[in-house]
């Protein structure tokens, strides 16, 4: 099953040509939201310096995926196969030049398109979820509010950074893409555990916040678990992905 080749080709060409404009639009949009959030804190700041500092967490979230994508584009530029193979299930042989040429069409497959699109969409979903739920916190707010803001800011920024790097690896068709995605899943799970610890240790946190935050963490873990259960088998045994990224084909009996 493939996505319409003409649609994929047009989308890829548009994305390459518009990369700088897309990034600029992202930064400007999240920057504008950051200004609105900082201008409307729950409790007023003490001075102008603190008012400016309120922007920092939201700007970090805005910058994280841009930095992740740029770094990933540089790190995953090489398509040289790694010396150590981790995806060892099955019997494989190196693909011939003709097979590699045919394999170039594999990036139009529905599974590959869905995986890469899902990784990319994870970034704005995570960022806007953060912006919708985390207010600007001033020195007049209680300690637990600062603790929660730091924890959720780290969660969003690091997750967006990691998934943006994975998207860059996919765009580059790097042989290390699968490893990058598995690492991003592990980081995401660790971030949810970090938030749980921070929430549990936050002094004076209202009890009415505990249940919705626990539900949020459980939902995030569930989403990661679903992604792993769907895509890990694909990363390991898909003939299309092995030809596209690992340059090998399955041996037939």
């Amino acid at each position: 099953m493939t996505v319409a080749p003409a649609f994929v080709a047009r989308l890829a060409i548009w994305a390459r040509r518009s990369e700088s404009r897309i990034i600029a639009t992202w930064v400007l949009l999240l920057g504008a939201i950051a200004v609105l959030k900082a201008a409307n804190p729950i409790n007023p700041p003490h001075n102008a310096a603190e008012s400016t500092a309120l922007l920092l967490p939201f700007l970090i979230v805005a910058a994280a995926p841009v930095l992740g994508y740029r770094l990933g584009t540089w790190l995953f530029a090489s398509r040289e196969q790694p010396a150590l193979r981790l995806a060892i299930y099955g019997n494989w042989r190196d693909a011939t030049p003709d097979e590699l040429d045919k394999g170039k069409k594999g990036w139009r497959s529905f599974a590959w398109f869905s995986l890469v699109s899902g990784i990319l969409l994870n970034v704005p979903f995570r960022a806007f979820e953060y912006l919708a739920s985390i207010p600007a916190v001033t020195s007049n707010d209680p300690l637990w509010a600062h603790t929660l803001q730091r924890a959720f800011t780290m969660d969003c920024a690091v997750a967006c950074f990691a998934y943006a790097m994975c998207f860059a690896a996919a765009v580059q068709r790097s042989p290390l893409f699968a490893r990058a995605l598995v690492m991003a899943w592990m980081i995401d799970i660790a971030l949810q555990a970090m938030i749980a610890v921070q929430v549990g240790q936050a002094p004076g946190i209202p009890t009415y916040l505990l249940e919705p935050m626990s539900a949020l963490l459980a939902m995030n873990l569930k989403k990661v678990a679903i992604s792993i259960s769907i895509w890990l088998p694909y990363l390991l045994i898909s003939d299309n992905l092995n030809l596209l990224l690992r340059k090998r084909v399955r041996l037939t009996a």
Side-chain angles (χ1 to χ4, degrees):
M1 187 176 181
T2 59
V3 181
F7 169 75
V8 176
R10 285 197 300 269
L11 184 62
I13 292 171
W14 174 82
R16 283 196 298 269
R17 290 178 177 175
S18 307
E19 180 181 293
S20 297
R21 290 196 297 271
I22 293 171
I23 292 175
T25 301
W26 168 265
V27 173
L28 289 173
L29 176 60
L30 267 72
I33 296 174
V35 170
L36 289 174
K37 299 276 288 187
N40 296 280
I42 296 175
N43 291 306
H46 281 153
N47 48 50
E50 187 178 0
S51 296
T52 303
L54 296 181
L55 290 168
L56 184 59
F58 307 108
L59 295 181
I60 289 174
V61 168
V66 178
L67 295 176
Y69 177 76
R70 292 299 192 192
L71 181 61
T73 300
W74 174 68
L75 284 177
F76 298 113
S78 173
R79 296 186 184 178
E80 184 177 347
Q81 296 295 317
L84 177 63
R85 298 277 194 177
L86 297 181
I88 58 176
Y89 178 83
N91 296 313
W92 309 87
R93 62 169 175 81
D94 292 337
T96 65
D98 287 342
E99 289 168 333
L100 289 174
D101 188 58
K102 293 178 181 178
K104 293 178 181 178
K105 298 178 181 179
W107 64 287
R108 298 170 181 168
S109 74
F110 182 77
W112 176 251
F113 185 81
S114 299
L115 174 57
V116 176
S117 300
I119 293 171
L120 178 60
L121 290 174
N122 204 14
V123 172
F125 284 161
R126 202 70 169 256
F128 287 116
E129 182 181 63
Y130 167 85
L131 292 170
S133 58
I134 301 299
V137 177
T138 71
S139 57
N140 290 318
D141 290 300
L143 179 60
W144 62 262
H146 292 269
T147 301
L148 295 187
Q149 186 194 51
R150 285 195 298 269
F152 280 99
T153 300
M154 181 180 292
D155 168 66
C156 184
V158 174
C160 288
F161 181 91
Y163 285 117
M165 283 192 68
C166 289
F167 177 74
V171 171
Q172 302 281 82
R173 299 180 207 170
S174 168
L176 300 176
F177 164 71
R179 302 183 191 189
L181 184 53
V182 171
M183 183 61 67
W185 285 332
M186 295 173 63
I187 290 172
D188 207 348
I189 292 171
L191 288 169
Q192 306 314 304
M194 178 271 298
I195 293 178
V197 171
Q198 292 290 314
V199 170
Q201 295 178 347
I205 183 171
T207 54
Y208 65 82
L209 289 178
L210 295 177
E211 184 175 347
M213 280 193 290
S214 297
L216 176 62
L217 296 181
M219 181 181 68
N220 287 341
L221 286 173
K222 184 178 180 180
K223 287 190 291 188
V224 177
I226 291 173
S227 296
I228 293 173
S229 64
I230 292 174
W231 294 116
L232 186 57
Y234 173 74
L235 295 175
L236 294 174
I237 65 175
S238 166
D239 289 344
N240 173 64
L241 186 138
N242 273 280
L243 180 57
L244 184 66
L245 302 183
R246 301 185 182 110
K247 308 295 188 286
R248 65 187 187 181
V249 294
R250 191 183 300 276
L251 284 172
T252 56

